[in-house]
């Protein structure tokens, strides 16, 4: 279940994020489409981790915020390295 949740979430989010990147270019220039795919993959992994934690009845609001902060941090580091 969790192994299939990652590509399902990535596949559903990638077109939406690509459209979002085309419509709202942050920083003055639109990022590459690889960035949208990377972000969708990171969110897919975060959804799978949240699903795993929920199956073990460990998921709460604090872990969701921490997981979201980790995804944002990884993406921020990837964007800063690309510059």
């Amino acid at each position: 279940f969790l192994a299939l949740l990652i590509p399902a979430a990535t596949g559903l989010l990638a077109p939406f994020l690509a459209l979002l990147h085309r419509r709202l270019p942050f920083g003055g220039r639109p990022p590459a489409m690889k960035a949208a795919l990377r972000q969708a993959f990171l969110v897919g992994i975060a959804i799978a981790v949240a699903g795993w934690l929920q199956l073990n009845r460990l998921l709460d609001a604090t872990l969701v915020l921490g997981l979201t902060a980790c995804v944002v941090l990884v993406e921020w580091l990837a964007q800063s390295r690309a510059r």
Side-chain angles (χ1 to χ4, degrees), residues 9-70:
T10 301
L12 288 173
L13 287 173
F16 173 72
L17 287 173
L19 177 70
L20 186 68
H21 282 299
R22 269 188 261 133
R23 298 281 183 198
L24 302 171
F26 296 109
R29 61 183 173 89
M33 288 300 127
K34 290 180 185 179
L37 186 61
R38 181 183 63 238
Q39 291 170 358
F41 185 68
L42 282 172
V43 173
I45 289 174
I47 289 172
V49 169
W52 175 65
L53 289 170
Q54 180 62 32
L55 285 174
N56 292 327
R57 300 191 190 277
L58 296 173
L59 189 66
D60 61 349
T62 306
L63 282 175
V64 171
L65 290 175
L67 192 59
T68 304
C70 287

